[in-house]
């Protein structure tokens, strides 16, 4: 029995060795088969494939990097340009330009020649299309004016390249032996297009306590209001400006939004009429923008001027109220072309020739009368 047990154990050991050898042989067979399959891959194929992957990875990475770099540079250039325009509107050059305009505005003689001379002095400052007298109504004018001095009271930047400069101006009016010295506040709207400054709207009188800047209103997407809305707004605007110019604050505040800081002109001038009005639909519901030119008169001197204003208006419970009074944002600057400059120069020459011809005719008439 002991011998049979040993024999069985020996047979089992031989069998395990045989099984192990079979497994090793099968493993070597599989390795040889894998090697044969790999032998079918062309030499250098993997290297080329890895090279292609590497090339496109580097190329795409460089493309993205350059794109981001260009976008960054473009943004930087835009920011730098806007910074330059902001700085330029508030610069000493801008204030000198506006102050020189104020000097020309308040200097005139009431003769035809004096009015033309004033127009010529104002021409370099005014953008094309603005009144050549910058709002001063010269018909029937009774006073000569002499500029005395002006002080800057406020500089407001509306947006890049566009701003307003407010001056306290002293001038002297004379009519024969009668003289009056006036002190008034005037807002000069200026724009800078990267090359030169220009007065882009009629200047307007203000009261220094009323000076404000509104940046929430834009005209980029505004459209003309409906006929019914326009008619209602026009009626309200006339009532508002009558009160704004001549009324007391207690009267005016009923036409304003709650807690408004608009104080009006404190009855320093007389309201005459609304000359022009454009009513636009605001961005918000029941809101409107009114671009208005009004005629006002200085009761001391009876001088009449046209002033430009822009009102931000809203309608609440069938009642209109003014939210803000200021220049709109969203304006764009257009530079004069060489053709425009040539036409303006030609027009100025024609005016001078016409004035010279008129003077020559008057002198000839006087000579004929004396003969």
């Amino acid at each position: 029995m002991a011998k049979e047990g040993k024999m069985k154990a020996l047979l089992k050991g031989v069998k395990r060795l045989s099984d192990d050898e079979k497994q090793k042989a099968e493993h070597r067979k599989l390795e040889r088969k894998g090697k044969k399959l790999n032998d079918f891959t062309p030499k250098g194929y993997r290297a080329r494939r890895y090279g292609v992957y590497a090339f496109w990875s580097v190329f795409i990475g460089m493309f993205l990097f350059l794109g981001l770099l260009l976008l960054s540079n473009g943004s930087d250039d835009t920011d730098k340009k806007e910074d330059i325009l902001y700085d330029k509107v508030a610069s000493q050059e801008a204030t000198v330009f506006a102050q020189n305009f104020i000097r020309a505005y308040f200097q005139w003689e009431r003769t035809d020649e004096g009015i033309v001379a004033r127009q010529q002095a104002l021409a370099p400052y005014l953008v094309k299309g603005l009144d050549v007298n910058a709002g001063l109504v010269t018909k029937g004018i009774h006073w000569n004016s002499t500029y005395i001095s002006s002080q800057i009271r406020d500089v407001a930047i509306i947006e890049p390249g566009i701003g307003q400069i407010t001056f306290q101006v002293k001038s002297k009016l004379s009519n024969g032996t009668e003289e009056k010295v006036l002190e008034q506040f005037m807002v000069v709207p200026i724009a800078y297009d990267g090359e030169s400054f220009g007065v882009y709207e009629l200047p307007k009188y203000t009261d220094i306590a009323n000076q404000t800047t509104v940046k929430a209103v834009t005209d980029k997407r505004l459209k003309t209001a409906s006929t019914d809305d326009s008619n209602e707004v026009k009626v309200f605007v006339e009532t508002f400006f009558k009160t704004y110019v001549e009324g007391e604050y207690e009267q005016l505040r009923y036409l304003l939004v709650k807690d408004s800081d608009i104080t009006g002109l404190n009855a320093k001038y007389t309201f005459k009429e609304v000359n022009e009005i454009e009513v636009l639909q605001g961005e918000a519901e029941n809101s409107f923008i009114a671009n208005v030119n009004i005629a006002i008169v200085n009761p001391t001197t009876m001088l009449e001027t046209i002033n430009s204003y822009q009102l931000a208006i809203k309608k609440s419970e069938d009642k209109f109220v003014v939210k803000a009074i200021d220049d709109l944002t969203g304006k764009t600057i257009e530079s004069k072309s060489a053709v425009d400059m040539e036409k303006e120069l030609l027009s100025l020459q024609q005016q001078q020739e016409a004035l010279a011809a008129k003077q020559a005719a008057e002198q000839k008439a006087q000579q004929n009368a004396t003969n």
Side-chain angles (χ1 to χ4, degrees):
M1 291 295 294
K3 288 182 179 180
E4 288 178 1
K6 290 181 179 181
M7 193 63 177
K8 287 180 180 180
L10 181 61
L11 290 173
K12 287 181 179 180
V14 171
K15 187 177 180 180
R16 280 198 301 273
L17 288 173
S18 178
D19 291 338
D20 290 339
E21 287 298 321
K22 286 181 180 180
Q23 289 178 358
K24 291 179 180 180
E26 190 70 20
H27 182 67
R28 287 193 294 270
K29 184 177 180 182
L30 291 173
E31 284 184 345
R32 285 195 300 272
K33 188 178 290 186
K35 186 176 181 181
K36 287 180 180 179
L37 288 174
N38 290 336
D39 289 343
F40 286 104
T41 303
K43 292 182 178 180
Y45 173 77
R46 288 184 178 179
R48 288 195 300 273
R49 185 170 61 182
Y50 293 149
V52 170
Y53 290 158
F55 169 78
W56 282 107
S57 297
V58 172
F59 178 79
I60 292 172
M62 289 179 65
F63 181 79
L64 292 174
F65 174 75
L66 290 174
L68 292 173
L69 187 62
L70 289 173
L71 288 174
S72 176
N73 288 340
S75 177
D76 289 345
D77 290 343
T78 301
D79 291 342
K80 288 177 181 177
K81 183 177 179 181
E82 289 191 355
D83 289 342
I84 290 171
L85 293 177
Y86 269 112
D87 293 342
K88 205 68 177 179
V89 171
S91 68
Q92 184 178 0
E93 296 99 310
T95 56
V96 169
F97 170 86
Q99 198 158 33
N100 287 339
F101 169 79
I102 285 288
R103 182 179 286 105
Y105 184 95
F106 285 96
Q107 185 75 36
W108 74 79
E109 292 184 1
R110 60 191 180 95
T111 62
D112 290 343
E113 293 80 2
I115 297 303
V116 171
R118 180 177 181 271
Q119 292 173 358
Q120 293 172 351
L122 291 172
Y125 301 95
L126 301 173
V127 302
K128 184 179 180 180
L130 282 185
D131 174 28
V132 294
N133 293 309
L136 179 68
V137 178
T138 58
K139 184 178 180 180
I141 195 168
H142 299 294
W143 296 90
N144 298 323
S145 178
T146 303
Y147 169 86
I148 298 176
S149 64
S150 59
Q151 294 180 341
I152 299 170
R153 297 302 301 270
D154 186 53
V155 178
I157 301 175
I158 306 302
E159 58 182 10
I162 298 175
Q164 296 178 331
I165 302 179
T166 303
F167 292 90
Q168 183 176 359
V169 186
K170 181 183 286 187
S171 62
K172 182 178 71 175
L173 297 180
S174 59
N175 183 2
T177 59
E178 188 178 0
E179 292 186 349
K180 298 177 184 291
V181 175
L182 301 180
E183 287 198 32
Q184 303 171 94
F185 296 100
M186 176 165 274
V187 180
V188 181
I190 66 167
Y192 180 73
D193 65 355
E195 295 185 9
S196 64
F197 294 98
V199 176
Y200 68 89
E201 273 186 350
L202 295 178
K204 57 192 173 188
Y205 289 117
T206 188
D207 191 21
I208 199 65
N210 177 47
Q211 192 62 25
T212 183
T213 300
V214 178
K215 299 199 68 173
V217 181
T218 176
D219 62 0
K220 290 180 180 178
R221 296 189 296 267
L222 301 185
K223 299 179 180 179
T224 303
S226 67
T227 302
D228 291 341
D229 287 333
S230 293
N231 291 336
E232 291 182 13
V233 171
K234 287 176 182 178
V235 172
F236 168 76
V237 165
E238 186 155 357
T239 301
F240 171 80
F241 274 113
K242 175 73 174 175
T243 309
Y244 176 80
V245 176
E246 299 179 355
E248 302 293 336
Y249 176 71
E250 288 301 316
Q251 297 173 293
L252 181 63
R253 70 185 184 91
Y254 290 106
L255 304 177
L256 306 172
V257 294
K258 187 178 180 181
D259 299 328
S260 173
D261 60 354
I262 297 174
T263 58
L265 296 184
N266 299 315
K268 293 180 179 179
Y269 303 90
T270 301
F271 172 77
K272 182 178 179 181
E273 62 184 353
V274 172
N275 279 16
E276 296 180 18
I277 181 169
E278 177 190 30
V279 181
L280 304 174
Q281 185 69 49
E283 291 185 310
E285 187 178 0
N286 291 325
S287 68
F288 305 92
I289 300 299
N291 298 321
V292 189
N293 282 356
I294 66 169
I296 64 175
V297 179
N298 186 316
T300 304
T301 64
M302 299 308 295
L303 283 175
E304 179 183 341
T305 56
I306 308 299
N307 289 228
S308 295
Y309 293 91
Q310 287 132 341
L311 301 181
I313 302 168
K314 77 172 184 178
K315 185 177 182 180
S316 178
E317 299 178 354
D318 295 327
K319 177 186 175 183
F320 290 102
V321 288
V322 172
K323 296 188 296 182
I325 178 171
D326 201 86
D327 289 338
L328 293 174
T329 59
K331 296 181 182 294
T332 56
I333 304 172
E334 184 180 356
S335 299
K336 292 180 183 178
S337 66
V339 175
D340 292 333
M341 299 289 286
E342 185 177 352
K343 286 181 178 178
E344 290 180 12
L345 181 60
L346 179 61
S347 176
L348 185 60
Q349 290 174 345
Q350 290 172 345
Q351 289 178 14
Q352 292 173 340
E353 290 171 359
L355 180 60
K358 180 182 176 182
Q359 291 173 341
E362 289 175 349
Q363 290 176 357
K364 186 175 181 180
Q366 289 175 356
Q367 290 174 356
N368 292 335
T370 55
N371 293 333

